[in-house]
RNA sequence: GGGGGCUUAGCUCAGCGGGAGAGCAUCCGCUUUGCAAGCGGAGGGUCUGGGGUUCGAAUCCCCAAGCCUCCA
């Protein structure tokens, strides 16, 4: 046997696989998108996933033709154990599955013998057959015989495993789910003793080996699992047709064929890893090489998913992309890369995979731009987080080294400043506000702070962080009035609380492993148990918040499994007759409805549009012989059964009865909004560029909402341009037509399809029968769409954009109105403007000038009032001589008091300052008509004066309340005379 | 869909119930002058918007907007 050829590249292996199976009569299909159209999974996770329908018995017809045998290289995204990617040498988030599938055509014999042929024939992989091993399901004698008798594999190369390993889905016989399932047979390759000295027999126990690498799984879905009997015995009945579903991991076979140690040394990852090393200056070696792998692997998967049309965001698949991207960005950061770097690796991905996945090439610019902007955003987040981490950590360090000192120091300090009796709050206030005091404090602490400072890197943020630390510490001790600080054990390890670490992560997006990393540099560790606990709490809250809402439809689907698809006739007719096929309440089928009941009704044929494609479900009425009901909403199951939510008003309803459905007139408004949505979409792409991609849509009778990917808020001009474009379509009054056609034809004609949307082989295309021009270019609207539309664009009537807002990073949301809703809105705006104009004695044209003038006037008037009040106060104070306010001796203080009228707020305080300055007094009291201000000199405060307490007593006498600091306080009063009189008894 | 956080001078932010602040930037002056800089001063604010609580709100509560972030 020949040695594995080291010259085969990953691309060559992929190509060989596909052409091998083409030579065996298979149809080669392109990979489906990584973004799954199946609502139950976010991403495509297996090669067979795009063929679920065919495995269930749907006809094997595809865009490229009909064939019961197909072969694909399917890109799959598996994010379940993403934290292992990079830590191990074999986990990948993106992997390519080479698969051959049979829909009721060939079975086990062909599957296994072809696999053998492909792996061992020198024309294909040319692997040494004696190094191949297989596992089978415990009692699958058919597979055993094929392996040993037909292929000639020695019996000791075959192991039998139970349903946990060799059944698909795993453990299906006992655990379910119901549906197609079957045994499987896995093929292994012995990579030789240099990867381990274990034996194949030992693999039966260990089930983990670097030497014996699983490369190919052949699944034989031959059973249909039924609900187990009462005794719990699983029931597996033979499927009428037996399928073949195989998957070979391209990364795995490439590792074997290229005989390299791990995935990251193959021809796809190797160059990326090398480039990471080059850019970061860190060679691919040592424990740090985890980061190289994470970066290389994640860049590949993120590039692919973005090329498939997803955008990083904070919901659904977008959120997963963001998580992967951030994990990569974080590891780039750990390698010392402080500038966006990942996007510079994209060309390497495109180079090695762009031929097999052309979307990588066509979308390259968008992929790079998106990754770059996401990296920039994340680096900003990291910077902010680092500041906060440093602050928390400095608080810990500070407490450890300086606690006893600061306690003594502040006593001394306090005496220095205010004498005794100063409270914590004052000290804290003091530290925070004065940098001079900071220096003094540092001096008292014997330069210790400066030493601490030099431990931090960034000069200009250091002090703020340490100050933050002090503040932090004071908050802790603030409950004790005399600054008692908890005793410190200098030997105890410093521990950052788990809650703190979680807040950093949850609120500021700062990854906990970075927190740990930074903390360790300062000898601080993180309480991981506490962190885990906080995380779990938060998750429970999130789950509880969003658990209702979807179970009902799934329940309905099961209860209605036997029903045919509903005939929908509502594109043209808003009234139609149908037969009642089923009645349902709370997921249970019932046989009878009477007046007052609310239930779900299924009809054979209906004019009611079911919620879908963003368009809301129709409302209206059901009428029948002797009764009637209101249709409140219409939805449909994934299987195409329409569900009418009906409230019966009169009469009785039973299955089999004939009813007439009448759709509400609101449907016309909905149709206007739907066609307008298409025009809006086309206009946005024309005005903002083809980067615009629909990200969500709501079409209702009263409004439309359209989410799309776009980096920035729209400018006023752009909004106007979009509106103008739509209006041009409307006034041209083009016909709107729709027709069904094969999807290939629709795509060839250039119809806009949505990413992640599932389309059958025939699709409905809605086309506006005319172009409008924008900047010399013809703009057309043609979309795949199942919704209801107007028949001419003129039916839309007025169109107005209400708002452009941000719903997630990179996603904008537009709300707009069409038809009467738009005219109503415009009329209301105009009336409003007319009212405002009238209030200002001007007309709409003069409105702006008028308001600007008023603003200036108000500002000038305010300034003038301040000046006037100040003058008034000075005049009443006797021209600043202090003559109007004799100083009295009260309680050991020199007190000056004064009553001013027509003065308040700021000027009252200003007057108090002036008086304190000009008179001999230690304490001044100024009373206005409604307010009272007391100020005391530093010296008086040190001797025990307290403006806050004094003002309280005076205010009580003056019919009010108040308070403040020892040196400054104010109050609101109603009787200034009484307040001043109370001075005599206040001390 | 559900949480958390932020929004204060041109920029970065502190203040979190009692006089709107710092650093940087800008302008002016002084000093020095090879440059960097140093010293002093000034201008610059609807404290995101709107309600409420309070004698008093940038600060507390409610609503809204924008931005950041975590989860489902």
């Amino acid at each position: 046997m020949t040695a594995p050829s080291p010259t085969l590249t990953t691309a060559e292996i992929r190509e060989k696989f596909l052409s091998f199976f083409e030579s065996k009569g298979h149809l080669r299909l392109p990979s489906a998108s990584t973004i799954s159209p199946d609502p139950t999974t976010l991403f495509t996770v297996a090669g067979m996933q795009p063929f679920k329908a065919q495995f269930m018995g749907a006809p094997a017809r595809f865009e490229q033709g009909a064939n019961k045998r197909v072969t694909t290289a399917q890109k799959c995204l598996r994010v379940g154990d993403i934290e292992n990617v990079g830590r191990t040498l074999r986990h990948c988030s993106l992997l390519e599955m080479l698969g051959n599938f049979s829909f009721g055509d060939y079975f086990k014999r062909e599957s296994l013998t072809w696999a053998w042929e492909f792996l061992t024939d020198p024309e294909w992989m040319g692997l040494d057959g004696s190094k191949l091993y297989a596992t089978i399901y415990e009692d699958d004698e058919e597979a055993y015989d094929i392996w040993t008798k037909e292929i000639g594999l020695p019996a000791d190369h075959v192991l039998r495993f139970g349903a946990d390993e060799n059944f698909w889905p795993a453990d299906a016989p006992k655990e379910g789910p119901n549906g197609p399932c079957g045994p499987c047979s896995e093929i292994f390759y012995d990579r030789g003793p240099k990867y381990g000295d274990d034996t194949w027999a030992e693999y039966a126990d260990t089930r983990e080996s670097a030497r014996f690498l699983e490369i190919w799984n052949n699944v034989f879905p031959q059973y249909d699992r039924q609900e187990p009997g009462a005794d719990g015995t699983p029931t597996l009945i033979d499927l009428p047709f037996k399928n073949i579903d195989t998957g070979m991991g391209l990364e795995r076979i490439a590792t074997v064929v290229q005989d390299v140690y791990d995935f990251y040394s193959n021809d796809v990852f190797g160059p990326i890893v090398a480039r990471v090393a080059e850019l970061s200056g860190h060679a691919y070696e040592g424990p740090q090489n985890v980061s190289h792998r994470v970066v290389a692997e994640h860049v590949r998967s993120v590039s692919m998913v973005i090329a498939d049309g997803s955008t990083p965001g904070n919901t659904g698949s977008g959120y997963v992309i963001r998580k992967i991207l951030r994990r990569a960005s974080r590891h780039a950061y750990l390698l010392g890369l402080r500038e966006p770097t990942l996007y510079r690796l994209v060309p390497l991905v495109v180079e090695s995979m762009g031929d097999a996945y052309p979307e990588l090439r066509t979308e390259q610019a968008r992929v790079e731009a998106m990754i770059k902007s996401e990296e920039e955003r994340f680096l900003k987040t990291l910077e902010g987080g680092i500041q906060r981490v440093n602050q928390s950590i400095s608080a810990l360090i500070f407490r450890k080294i300086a606690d006893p000192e600061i306690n003594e120091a502040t006593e001394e300090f306090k005496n220095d400043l205010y004498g005794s009796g100063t409270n914590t709050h004052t000290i804290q206030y003091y530290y925070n506000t004065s940098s001079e005091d900071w220096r003094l404090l540092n001096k008292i602490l014997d330069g210790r702070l400066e030493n601490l400072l030099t431990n931090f890197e960034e000069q200009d943020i250091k002090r703020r962080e340490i100050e933050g630390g002090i503040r932090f510490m004071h908050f802790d001790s603030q409950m004790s009035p005399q600054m008692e600080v908890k005793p410190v054990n200098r030997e105890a390890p410093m521990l950052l609380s788990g809650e703190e670490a979680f807040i950093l992560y949850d609120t500021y997006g700062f990854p906990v492993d970075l927190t740990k990393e930074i903390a360790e540099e300062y000898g601080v560790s993180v309480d991981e148990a506490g962190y885990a606990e906080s995380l779990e709490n938060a998750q429970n809250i999130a789950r509880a918040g969003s658990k209702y809402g979807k179970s009902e439809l799934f329940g309905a689907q099961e209860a209605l499994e036997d029903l045919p698809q509903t005939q929908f006739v509502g594109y043209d007719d808003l009234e139609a007759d149908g037969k009642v096929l089923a009645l349902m309440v709370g997921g249970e089928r019932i046989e009878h409805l009477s007046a007052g009941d609310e239930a779900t009704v299924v009809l054979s044929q209906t004019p009611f549009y079911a919620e879908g494609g963003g368009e809301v479900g129709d409302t209206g009425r059901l009428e029948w012989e002797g009764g009637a009901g209101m249709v409140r909403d219409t939805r449909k199951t994934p299987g195409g059964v329409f569900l009418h939510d009906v409230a019966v008003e009169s009469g009785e309803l039973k299955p089999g009865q004939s009813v007439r459905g009448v759709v509400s007139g609101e449907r016309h408004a909905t149709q206007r909004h739907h066609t307008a949505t298409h025009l809006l979409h086309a206009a946005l792409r024309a005005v903002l560029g083809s980067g615009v991609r629909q990200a969500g849509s709501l079409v209702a009778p009263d409004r439309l909402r359209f989410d799309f990917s776009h980096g920035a808020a729209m400018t006023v001009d752009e909004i106007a341009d979009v509106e103008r474009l739509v209006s041009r379509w409307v006034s041209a009054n083009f016909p709107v037509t729709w027709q069904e056609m094969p999807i290939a034809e629709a795509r060839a004609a250039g119809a806009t399809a949505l990413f992640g949307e599932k389309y059958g082989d025939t699709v409905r295309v809605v086309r506006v029968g005319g172009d409008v021009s924008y900047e010399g270019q013809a703009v057309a609207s043609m979309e795949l769409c199942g919704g209801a539309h107007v028949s001419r664009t003129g039916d839309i009537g007025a169109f107005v954009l209400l708002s452009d807002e941000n719903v997630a990073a990179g996603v904008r949301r537009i709300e707009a109105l069409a038809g009467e809703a738009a005219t109503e809105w415009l009329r209301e705006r105009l009336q409003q403007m007319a009212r405002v104009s009238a209030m200002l004695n001007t007309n709409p044209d003069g409105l702006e000038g008028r308001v600007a003038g008023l603003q200036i006037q108000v500002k000038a008037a305010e300034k003038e009032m301040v000046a006037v009040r100040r003058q008034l106060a000075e005049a009443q104070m006797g021209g600043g001589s202090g003559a109007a306010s004799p100083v009295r001796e009260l309680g050991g203080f020199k007190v000056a008091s004064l009553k001013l009228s027509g003065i308040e707020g700021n000027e009252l305080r200003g007057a108090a300052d002036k008086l304190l300055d000009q008179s001999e007094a230690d304490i001044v009291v100024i009373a206005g008509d409604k307010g009272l201000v007391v100020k005391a000199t530093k010296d008086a405060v040190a001797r025990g004066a307290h403006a806050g307490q004094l003002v309280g007593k005076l205010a009580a006498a003056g019919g009010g309340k108040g308070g403040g600091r020892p040196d400054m306080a104010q109050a609101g009063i109603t009787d200034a005379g009484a307040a001043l009189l109370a001075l005599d008894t206040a001390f």
Side-chain angles (χ1 to χ4, degrees):
Chain A
M1 284 281 173
T2 53
S5 162
T7 56
L8 279 184
T9 63
T10 299
E12 286 165 343
I13 296 171
R14 184 194 299 116
E15 177 53 36
K16 283 201 173 219
F17 180 91
L18 295 171
S19 47
F20 174 82
F21 281 99
E22 277 182 320
S23 78
K24 303 292 182 194
H26 289 65
L27 174 67
R28 181 200 291 224
L29 294 177
S31 173
S33 169
T34 49
I35 300 158
S36 166
D38 177 350
T40 56
T41 54
L42 282 177
F43 301 103
T44 301
V45 296
M48 60 74 68
Q49 201 171 326
F51 308 111
K52 266 188 175 168
Q54 283 74 26
F55 281 118
M56 301 289 279
R61 281 202 308 266
F62 309 94
E63 233 173 280
Q64 290 77 0
N67 199 321
K68 289 183 171 181
R69 305 176 177 186
V70 301
T71 181
T72 60
Q74 172 67 47
K75 46 193 178 180
C76 302
L77 204 70
R78 295 184 181 171
V79 294
D81 55 354
I82 189 135
E83 62 281 356
N84 283 326
V85 175
R87 286 194 207 153
T88 73
L89 298 176
R90 282 207 297 275
H91 276 92
C92 277
S93 60
L94 179 82
L95 39 100
E96 289 182 73
M97 271 298 177
L98 300 172
N100 56 289
F101 307 96
S102 151
F103 310 121
D105 192 24
Y106 62 86
F107 198 51
K108 277 181 210 178
R109 167 165 299 111
E110 293 85 343
S111 169
L112 294 180
T113 54
W114 285 338
W116 181 261
E117 182 186 345
F118 178 74
L119 290 173
T120 58
D121 190 306
E123 196 190 327
W124 303 105
M125 292 299 103
L127 295 175
D128 181 350
S130 69
K131 293 188 174 173
L132 289 172
Y133 293 78
T135 64
I136 59 169
Y137 182 54
E138 47 198 4
D139 60 357
D140 190 354
E141 299 308 331
E142 190 186 355
Y144 184 80
D145 288 346
I146 295 169
W147 275 123
T148 56
K149 292 180 185 155
E150 297 188 33
I151 294 173
L153 204 61
D156 61 3
H157 277 222
V158 181
L159 284 176
R160 293 170 188 258
F161 285 125
D164 55 334
E165 287 277 349
N166 280 52
F167 209 89
W168 188 90
D171 284 323
K174 276 189 190 153
E175 312 281 331
N178 293 340
C181 59
C184 62
S185 176
E186 294 173 344
I187 305 174
F188 287 70
Y189 183 80
D190 176 8
R191 308 171 70 207
K194 64 176 165 175
Y195 297 103
D197 54 8
D198 47 335
T199 67
W200 178 241
E202 282 164 8
Y203 184 80
D205 296 323
T206 59
R207 306 212 181 170
E208 185 57 58
S209 170
R211 172 173 177 170
F212 296 94
L213 191 63
E214 180 202 335
I215 51 178
W216 202 335
N217 191 4
N218 289 252
V219 184
F220 316 124
Q222 61 190 94
Y223 303 118
D224 183 7
R225 181 186 191 268
Q226 308 278 320
E227 198 53 35
D231 58 348
T233 351
T235 319
L236 299 179
I237 60 170
D238 276 355
L239 274 173
F241 49 89
K242 296 182 178 178
N243 303 309
I244 288 294
D245 160 21
T246 79
M248 174 157 67
L250 179 58
E251 291 80 6
R252 286 169 178 255
I253 184 71
T255 310
V256 166
V257 170
Q258 294 171 5
D259 193 27
V260 289
Y261 188 75
D262 61 77
F263 285 10
Y264 296 94
S265 310
N266 72 23
D267 64 309
V268 172
F269 286 122
I272 307 182
V273 167
R275 184 96 172 106
V276 172
E278 184 193 328
L279 290 171
S280 68
H282 286 94
Y284 178 56
E285 60 192 19
Q288 226 179 0
N289 68 7
V290 172
S291 296
H292 295 77
R293 289 193 289 271
V294 169
V295 169
E297 201 285 334
H298 288 355
V299 156
R300 190 176 78 130
S301 50
V302 166
S303 298
M304 192 64 89
V305 183
I306 294 179
D308 273 340
S310 187
T311 52
N314 52 5
T315 55
S317 65
Y319 184 58
V320 178
I321 314 298
R322 171 168 288 173
K323 254 166 112 163
I324 300 176
L325 195 45
R326 294 198 161 190
R327 184 160 185 264
S329 192
R330 191 167 91 225
H331 279 274
Y333 191 90
L334 290 176
L335 287 173
L337 293 162
R338 298 289 181 267
E339 298 287 321
T341 307
L342 305 179
Y343 77 100
R344 296 170 65 187
L345 303 171
V346 172
L348 294 173
V349 176
V350 175
E351 196 176 310
S352 63
M353 298 181 73
D355 288 337
Y357 303 99
E359 57 276 17
L360 277 174
R361 278 197 208 293
T362 55
E363 299 291 318
Q364 180 172 352
R366 197 172 65 88
V367 170
E368 287 179 18
M370 221 161 238
I371 292 182
K372 186 177 181 200
S373 87
E374 189 68 20
E375 282 188 272
E376 282 165 352
R377 201 191 308 270
F378 186 57
L379 284 169
K380 244 181 142 175
T381 298
L382 284 186
E383 265 173 42
I386 285 168
Q387 261 194 44
R388 276 164 214 277
V389 174
N390 282 350
Q391 208 169 84
S392 305
I393 291 174
S394 70
L396 285 169
I397 297 173
F398 192 91
R399 179 171 299 161
K400 179 131 175 157
I401 67 166
D403 248 359
E405 283 87 343
I406 197 175
N407 212 5
E408 292 160 25
T410 44
E411 279 308 318
E412 184 185 333
F413 204 27
K414 282 185 287 189
N415 292 335
D416 254 16
L417 295 168
Y418 301 120
S420 55
T422 311
N423 63 23
T424 317
H425 180 78
T426 314
I427 292 284
Q428 185 190 326
Y429 180 82
Y430 194 80
Y431 287 176
N432 291 348
T433 50
S434 162
S435 59
E436 195 149 317
D437 301 333
W438 166 262
R439 281 197 286 274
L440 183 52
L441 177 65
N442 187 36
K443 213 175 99 196
I444 294 168
L445 291 183
D446 208 16
R448 240 169 262 259
L449 294 176
E450 286 305 326
N451 287 339
L452 185 59
L453 289 178
T454 55
N455 288 331
F456 289 87
E457 280 172 39
E458 198 61 46
Q459 183 78 24
D460 60 331
I461 56 170
K462 271 186 236 165
R463 210 193 66 206
R464 205 185 303 155
E465 282 159 13
I466 305 289
E467 283 180 334
I470 295 179
R471 205 175 306 130
F472 189 93
M473 194 182 79
H474 282 207
F475 272 121
D476 271 10
S477 53
Q478 205 178 331
M479 50 276 307
S480 59
Q482 292 299 322
M483 276 217 53
E484 261 175 52
V485 179
K486 294 167 201 154
V488 172
N489 177 356
R490 283 170 182 252
E491 304 311 315
M494 292 184 283
L495 192 68
L496 191 68
S497 80
E499 195 187 348
E500 183 79 16
F502 180 71
I503 288 172
L504 276 160
Y505 174 63
D506 183 55
T507 302
Y508 303 104
F510 198 75
V512 70
D513 53 352
L514 278 185
T515 304
K516 273 188 248 172
E517 190 118 348
I518 295 172
E520 269 165 27
E521 285 173 34
Y522 298 101
V524 175
S525 49
V526 175
D527 172 15
E528 303 197 30
Y531 174 83
E533 196 182 318
S534 300
L535 179 66
E536 208 188 316
N537 284 343
Q539 283 175 337
N540 288 338
I541 290 171
R543 258 193 289 270
S546 65
K547 76 176 158 199
Y548 74 104
K550 47 178 127 169
S551 55
E552 192 193 351
L553 257 186
F554 288 125
Q557 197 176 357
E558 262 178 39
L560 301 172
E561 241 167 14
D562 57 315
L563 296 179
Q565 289 196 2
T566 306
Q567 286 293 315
F568 175 65
V569 298
Y571 289 131
D572 306 304
D573 299 319
L574 294 189
E575 284 191 34
D577 295 321
K579 219 166 72 180
V580 176
L581 296 184
L583 304 172
M584 193 175 64
V585 171
E588 301 281 322
R589 297 274 283 269
I590 55 169
E591 294 303 316
H592 177 92
L593 286 183
S594 49
D597 288 348
E598 294 185 20
T600 301
V601 177
V602 179
L603 303 174
S604 57
Q605 170 176 304
T606 181
F608 289 94
Y609 183 83
E611 180 183 344
E615 183 174 329
V616 299
D618 275 338
T619 59
R621 298 182 61 75
L622 286 185
E623 291 162 2
W624 62 89
E625 193 74 39
M630 203 160 68
V631 178
R632 293 183 163 152
D633 193 10
T634 311
R635 293 162 301 150
K636 64 179 169 190
T637 66
V641 177
F642 281 47
L643 310 173
H644 306 84
D645 288 350
V646 175
V648 178
E649 291 170 341
S650 61
E652 319 233 306
L653 197 59
K654 290 181 189 160
Q657 227 167 309
S658 182
V659 301
R660 181 160 193 80
V662 182
V663 177
S664 146
E666 283 191 335
R667 200 8 214 292
H668 294 295
T670 304
Q671 289 175 200
R672 278 197 289 269
H673 282 124
H674 205 151
T675 309
T677 299
H678 284 207
L679 298 180
L680 174 64
H681 188 183
L684 285 169
R685 286 177 68 93
V687 174
L688 302 178
S690 55
V692 168
R693 251 169 236 285
Q694 177 168 347
S697 165
L698 173 73
V699 178
D702 57 335
R703 71 204 163 110
L704 72 87
R705 198 173 72 196
F706 189 76
D707 296 352
F708 59 102
S709 59
H710 185 57
M714 290 176 70
T715 65
V716 177
D717 286 345
E718 286 166 345
I719 291 176
D721 277 356
V722 167
E723 263 183 6
R724 229 170 272 145
L725 258 181
V726 174
S727 299
R728 220 170 282 162
W729 260 303
V730 172
S731 36
N733 198 21
F734 292 126
V736 180
T737 56
W738 46 88
Q739 72 184 109
E740 303 217 327
M741 59 174 78
I743 186 161
E745 201 178 309
R747 283 190 206 274
T752 307
L754 301 185
F755 280 102
E757 196 69 29
K758 189 179 188 174
Y759 298 107
D761 47 351
T762 62
V763 293
R764 186 164 177 271
V765 174
V766 175
R767 185 196 315 240
V768 174
D771 301 341
V772 295
S773 83
Y774 177 75
E775 291 185 346
Q777 291 202 313
V779 186
S781 165
M782 172 163 51
E783 282 191 41
L784 303 191
C785 176
H789 290 266
V790 295
S791 54
R792 301 197 72 95
T793 52
D795 297 343
I796 292 172
F799 175 80
V800 57
L801 270 182
L802 298 187
S803 63
D804 160 54
E805 61 183 16
N806 179 295
V807 281
V811 180
R812 310 289 309 176
R813 167 171 294 174
I814 278 181
E815 300 221 13
L817 300 176
E820 260 181 58
T823 16
E824 274 302 316
W825 186 85
L826 288 170
R827 183 180 308 126
E828 169 53 27
R829 286 299 122 133
L830 289 173
Q831 286 174 348
Q832 194 176 33
M833 193 144 95
R835 286 195 299 271
V836 173
S837 304
M839 281 165 72
L840 297 175
N841 283 329
T842 179
N843 56 34
D845 289 334
L847 206 49
E848 279 170 299
R850 188 89 176 86
V851 171
L854 280 173
Q855 278 177 328
I856 293 170
Q857 269 183 42
V858 167
K859 219 162 184 172
E862 271 171 0
K863 278 197 171 159
E864 205 178 318
M865 261 164 70
V866 168
V868 168
R869 278 202 299 255
R870 201 170 287 154
Q871 280 169 18
L872 186 58
E874 276 177 25
Q876 291 181 56
M877 284 165 70
S881 67
S885 51
V887 174
R888 287 186 286 167
E889 200 56 44
L890 286 170
F893 298 103
K894 282 181 250 169
V895 181
S897 63
L898 192 59
K899 185 168 174 302
L900 301 176
S901 58
I903 314 287
E904 50 190 294
N906 266 327
E907 284 66 53
L908 223 46
R909 281 192 299 263
D913 274 338
K914 205 155 242 171
L915 187 57
L916 199 61
D917 209 32
Q918 290 166 354
S919 69
E920 299 286 297
D922 302 318
I923 297 176
V924 297
V925 178
I926 305 263
D929 301 320
K930 287 183 282 185
L932 191 64
V933 173
V934 176
K935 297 201 67 148
T937 60
K938 266 191 178 187
D939 178 56
V941 171
R943 281 162 44 218
H946 198 292
Q949 286 164 15
L950 179 58
V951 87
K953 289 179 195 165
L954 301 184
K961 281 193 278 187
R965 299 191 312 252
D967 62 322
M968 207 292 290
Q970 48 193 319
I973 52 170
T974 52
D975 185 345
L980 288 181
L981 271 177
L983 256 183
D984 297 327
T985 56
F987 286 89

